[in-house]
Amino acid sequence: MASVDSPASTLEGRYRQVFPVLTPAQMEIVRRFAGAPRREGAGALLYGLGERNAPSLLVLSGSLQIRRLDALGHDLGTTEHGVGEFSGEIGQLSGRPALAECRAGPGGCEAAPIDAEGLRRLMVASAEIGELLMRAFILRRVALLETGAGGPILVGQDVTPDTIRLRTFLSRNGYPHVVLDPVNDADGADLIARFAGDGTELPLVLLPDGRLLRNPSEAELAGGLGMLPDLSADRLFDLLIVGAGPAGLAAAVYAASEGLSALVLDRRSIGGQAGASARIENYLGFPTGISGMALMGRAYNQAQKFGAQMVIPAEVDALKTLEDGTFQLTLSDGEHVRTRSVVIAGGARYRRLAIENFDSFECTSAHYWVSPLEGNLCAEQEVVLIGAGNSAGQATVYLASKAAKVWLLVRGSDLGARMSRYLVDRITGLGNVEVLTRTSLTGLEGSNGALAAVRWRQAGGDETRRPIRHLFLFIGADPNTDWLAGSGIALDARGFVLTGKDTGRASGPLESSVRGIFAIGDVRSGSIKRVAASVGEGAQVVAAIHAFLAEAATVRQ
């Protein structure tokens, strides 16, 4: 029954996946997990845009109308759900603010509300219905991302550092948004004239509830959008995972699916460095490849399906062991979180380029990852990419499909020394990629954050200067372990967390020098820097946590 004004790219050929109709038998199963039915007259509001903990609604009679709006109140289309259909998208699994408005249809409705807990229990109890719901929820979020419906409006020029910063945060966390450039958009110009006449506080961010933020931090924006759940100061989690990359998300999925209460914290976004990969082609089970963002997005949704809580962005400042044997983590905003065990999965932070005036080009012209946002910024231009690992290779292949030419600068003498053979072969076959081995960057030119030219020198050759506006860096990473100072956790000479026999005490292969604190993924000393290896460690560590928690419970008795 659904009549939809949604992006054709999402709905084409997948209409029944986006709007499945449950059979009477399936509806009876769903009703076991739902609250008391609501009966409403025509046009009655069942939940509003931005309302937290809005339920998914199963239509029992009549119809529902889902109206999509932007933060300026513009109508972006209406979907009508009939009997056997249900409202909602992926945010309903975690009680996040609703990204659309829901009203009773022209003839009124009777609908059964299913809250976040009920949805999660239903998905576990019925794999068949769970698959229908999850697929529909994800595809509906994709449609919202394509239009920006239900999300904030960013007012600022696309090329400015803070606009890019906020766009990147929202994009990498899968949150709908719209960007209005005040130079060529009347609504954007009007908002600036009304609220930021001198233009010094850009970008402006108009939230769906009408509030206005002036060049907010990522945490301020997330708080304004209701992305951050309330953390009860007296709650004790079974495990707290620091880092939402492949290792951390895998640990969250396995822990939550096995009944452990899990909280995941990440200072930036889901997916870590893997989430920034344009395409991963050697991950088991995906013969045609998958983007890092898509793979990590699926893992994120899977963790939420089983009840893992996510707090992004959230930066951990300190970790200490309490007298009762539990652990307390202090966040940068001063909040404290208690847990019975800790999983350190914070990965590594991107290594910066040690060259004069590099700082002035970060976020605007110098990038550490490649996504459609960066691809559009450098479309039909020449770009420089520095690196020789798989991430660099994946980024090169993606950029070659967008840019006029990619200059790939490699310090070593052989591109294949650290890069998988399939990527080397692919790059070799690209006509608009030129690989320069034994080459170093020698200088950057530009002003006001805008790169104008890049200089480099090949061993034994003259310096080359090219008019380049975008530079991509894949030159390795350093462990994200500064926050562990004073925790008693042993690190190796490079700052990676020591585990197992390397700690000098009898402990499991993933346990740190402190009993009950584990390290997995790229942050662990001696780890294999591969997505599959990180996922494997995420699964493995949960078994070790079960053993630790059982032992700790026995000691307390």
Side-chain angles (χ1 to χ4, degrees), residues 36-227:
R38 294 181 59 178
R39 295 177 178 84
E40 302 289 351
L45 181 68
L46 281 87
Y47 57 79
L49 175 65
E51 184 175 327
R52 294 203 70 152
N53 298 307
S56 175
L57 295 163
L58 172 66
V59 182
L60 304 176
S61 66
S63 65
L64 296 176
Q65 289 190 331
I66 309 299
R67 187 179 176 216
R68 296 178 299 282
L69 305 164
D70 67 16
L72 288 170
H74 297 148
D75 193 332
L76 301 178
T78 299
T79 300
E80 187 164 326
H81 294 306
V83 174
E85 295 185 82
F86 51 87
S87 70
E89 52 86 44
I90 201 67
Q92 257 72 25
L93 276 179
S94 54
R96 299 286 172 86
L99 297 181
E101 175 186 277
C102 177
R103 292 183 180 273
C109 75
E110 181 182 16
I114 320 163
D115 63 16
E117 182 181 355
L119 281 171
R120 294 193 295 266
R121 288 170 45 230
L122 169 61
M123 287 183 173
V124 172
S126 173
E128 177 188 32
I129 297 174
E131 182 180 352
L132 289 173
L133 291 171
M134 181 62 80
R135 183 186 293 117
F137 283 167
I138 291 173
L139 290 174
R140 291 174 188 179
R141 174 59 70 96
V142 171
L144 292 171
L145 288 169
E146 291 175 350
T147 62
I153 291 177
L154 278 60
V155 184
Q157 289 187 284
D158 255 349
V159 295
T160 61
D162 286 315
T163 302
I164 293 174
R165 172 178 60 84
L166 295 178
R167 283 196 70 183
T168 299
F169 170 73
L170 292 169
S171 297
R172 293 197 64 185
N173 286 291
Y175 206 96
H177 62 281
V178 172
V179 179
L180 300 182
D181 190 330
V183 174
N184 52 36
D185 187 279
D187 284 334
D190 178 62
L191 285 168
I192 287 182
R194 289 164 56 195
F195 300 111
D198 59 1
T200 59
E201 297 179 301
L202 298 182
L204 298 177
V205 180
L206 184 63
L207 300 177
D209 63 6
R211 286 179 294 155
L212 189 76
L213 304 179
R214 292 174 168 82
N215 193 17
S217 67
E218 288 92 328
E220 289 169 336
L221 177 57
L225 292 172
M227 294 172 64

